[in-house]
Amino acid sequence: MNILAFGPNGSGKGTQGAIVKEKYGMDHIESGAIFREHIKGGTKLGMKAKAFIESGDLVPDEITIPMVLETLAKSKEKGWLLDGFPRSLAQAEALDKALKESGMALDYILEITLDREIAKERIMGRRLCANDNNHPNHIAFDAIKPVEKDGELVCRVCAGELSARADDQDEGAINKRHDIYYDETTGTMAAVNYFKNTDSKIIAVDGSKAIKAISEDIMDQLG
Ligand code: AMP
């Protein structure tokens, strides 16, 4: 099964992606997480992407598109939930073309809707587990609250070290990411609308609900 997940930064897309991955056993591919791995590993790609990510700008398509398409191709057998890509109409068109060429189906479009101001508040409370990107932690949500160990907040799943992403604590970077997301002309909402006009099934969920209620909505519709 292949799923494309959309939702503004802070809507809980990554959290729900981790839940769906766990239940259905597909790969959870997050373009932002791939970039962060490259930055951590000091690769050439990571060095090229770093400044764009810190300022909340899109990494140029000539870097992003091949990186994501290569990752997707590796998950062809297992199936995937793709999160963070496409973020623009141009990326949507490139993805559609690549999927058709490789014979990969796009079964579902998941759209998590959330008001921009609420999404912004949520971004700041997210924490990143050093061991596993699929261990969501958030200081304001009981269901995924980090735990305390020796006076430090650590990952609730594996007790790994937590950090806050620099671009999640920078209001300018958050605003830029949301400007890109809510842009219906060439931005991410244009990509959402592009895929809504295909044969893929649409799963629309209200991101203001509790984490469990949202995942139940998603599971009900995934069947
Ligand atoms: P995210 O983890 O999805 O919030 O992504 C973090 C950052 O990675 C974004 O603000 C962009 O700088 C970069 N990025 C992630 N996905 C893409 C994409 N599809 N196109 C361009 N840049 C991206």
Side-chain angles (χ1 to χ4, degrees):
M1 178 175 14
N2 298 327
I3 306 173
L4 206 51
F6 288 106
N9 312 79
S11 63
K13 194 166 27 87
T15 304
Q16 296 299 334
I19 295 171
V20 172
K21 170 202 154 99
E22 188 66 31
K23 164 127 194 204
Y24 294 90
M26 75 258 290
D27 286 329
H28 183 197
I29 300 170
E30 291 186 72
S31 47
I34 305 174
F35 281 129
R36 285 187 288 278
E37 280 302 309
H38 274 281
I39 292 172
K40 212 160 127 186
T43 70
K44 219 162 137 187
L45 191 151
M47 287 189 303
K48 281 190 197 157
K50 195 169 186 279
F52 295 101
I53 292 174
E54 280 172 354
S55 59
D57 288 302
L58 291 184
V59 178
D61 279 352
E62 59 268 30
I63 300 173
T64 308
I65 293 176
M67 178 190 86
V68 173
L69 296 183
E70 277 163 30
T71 312
L72 270 190
K74 288 186 204 145
S75 297
K76 189 172 176 177
E77 300 308 320
K78 212 168 162 192
W80 40 261
L81 182 144
L82 179 58
D83 166 350
F85 184 97
R87 259 175 156 90
S88 66
L89 186 56
Q91 291 184 357
E93 288 167 347
L95 176 63
D96 193 21
K97 184 165 171 274
L99 292 180
K100 284 182 177 135
E101 281 170 5
S102 66
M104 275 195 269
L106 183 52
D107 303 297
Y108 293 98
I109 308 295
L110 168 63
E111 186 190 9
I112 304 182
T113 52
L114 191 64
D115 173 79
R116 186 170 171 151
E117 279 311 307
I118 301 174
K120 189 169 164 180
E121 280 167 26
R122 285 192 183 176
I123 286 182
M124 297 201 159
R126 310 199 282 205
R127 295 295 178 268
L128 205 61
C129 170
N131 297 332
D132 192 331
N133 200 54
N134 279 296
H135 290 171
N137 286 268
H138 196 290
I139 56 172
F141 293 107
D142 283 342
I144 54 170
K145 215 170 224 161
V147 292
E148 212 179 303
K149 191 182 159 201
D150 304 329
E152 296 273 329
L153 287 181
V154 296
C155 174
R156 60 181 231 288
V157 182
C158 69
E161 201 177 303
L162 293 179
S163 62
R165 283 168 46 180
D167 59 339
D168 281 356
Q169 306 303 312
D170 174 343
E171 211 173 333
I174 295 172
N175 286 337
K176 254 195 225 170
R177 285 186 282 161
H178 280 158
D179 283 345
I180 295 166
Y181 187 83
Y182 292 100
D183 174 357
E184 294 189 14
T185 312
T186 56
T188 313
M189 280 310 297
V192 176
N193 292 332
Y194 178 94
F195 279 105
K196 277 187 175 169
N197 284 319
T198 63
D199 293 336
S200 310
K201 228 174 137 192
I202 316 288
I203 299 180
V205 292
D206 174 0
S208 67
K209 291 188 184 174
I211 292 170
K212 192 156 175 281
I214 299 173
S215 59
E216 282 168 1
D217 279 355
I218 296 172
M219 302 303 178
D220 281 351
Q221 296 183 67
L222 282 176

